Amino acid sequence: MTVDLQALYDADNIFAKILRREIPVEIIYEDDYALAFPDIAPQAPIHVLIIPKGAYVSCADFGASASDAEIAGLARAITKVAENLGLSHSGYRLISNTGPDAGQEVPHYHVHLLAGAKLSAKLIKKTSE
């Protein structure tokens, strides 16, 4: 599944269901603005998804439509998750995929926090020629 950046928010996407507690997850962090939980297909020893509680399709949608409080709240939640996981000194990577070319699969804005090992600098999959 790829995400249509022009589509309206799909209230039945998996992250919306998680926010409504229809699908159980291990909650790593939660506040008024964000929810964080482990990725089901981790790409690093630590791989956490951090999602805003508002209905936003992508980073572009969030940046254009979210309130200042929601934007600040998500940024603070990311920082708190990293601190709670003891990553402030060793470091971590944040990734947010927006649209089909970036590989966004769920039509709810989310940030991947990856850590727990030295991470590769490669970001683009090379295809055979």
Side-chain angles (χ1 to χ4, degrees):
M1 173 182 175
T2 58
V3 175
D4 177 359
L5 294 177
Q6 304 304 316
L8 296 175
Y9 183 79
D10 175 9
D12 286 326
N13 76 70
I14 190 168
F15 293 166
K17 290 177 180 181
I18 288 170
L19 286 168
R20 291 192 303 266
R21 304 302 200 258
E22 294 171 7
I23 297 175
V25 295
E26 174 193 349
I27 297 173
I28 293 174
Y29 178 84
E30 183 173 19
D31 63 18
D32 291 342
Y33 299 103
L35 180 73
F37 51 92
D39 192 293
I40 61 169
Q43 302 297 307
I46 297 171
H47 188 166
V48 175
L49 298 176
I50 306 163
I51 64 173
K53 289 189 171 179
Y56 300 102
V57 174
S58 65
C59 182
D61 181 23
F62 185 73
S65 305
S67 70
D68 290 347
E70 289 173 302
I71 293 169
L74 183 64
R76 287 189 180 102
I78 292 167
T79 300
K80 289 179 184 177
V81 168
E83 288 173 354
N84 292 350
L85 293 172
L87 302 172
S88 297
H89 296 292
S90 60
Y92 52 93
R93 178 174 294 164
L94 299 175
I95 299 174
S96 178
N97 301 317
T98 298
D101 283 355
Q104 183 180 1
E105 295 178 355
V106 179
H108 184 107
Y109 176 47
H110 56 286
V111 175
H112 298 258
L113 183 149
L114 300 119
K118 293 250 183 218
L119 301 175
S120 168
K122 297 187 181 205
L123 296 176
I124 300 174
K125 289 183 182 177
K126 294 196 178 201
T127 57
S128 58
E129 296 177 14

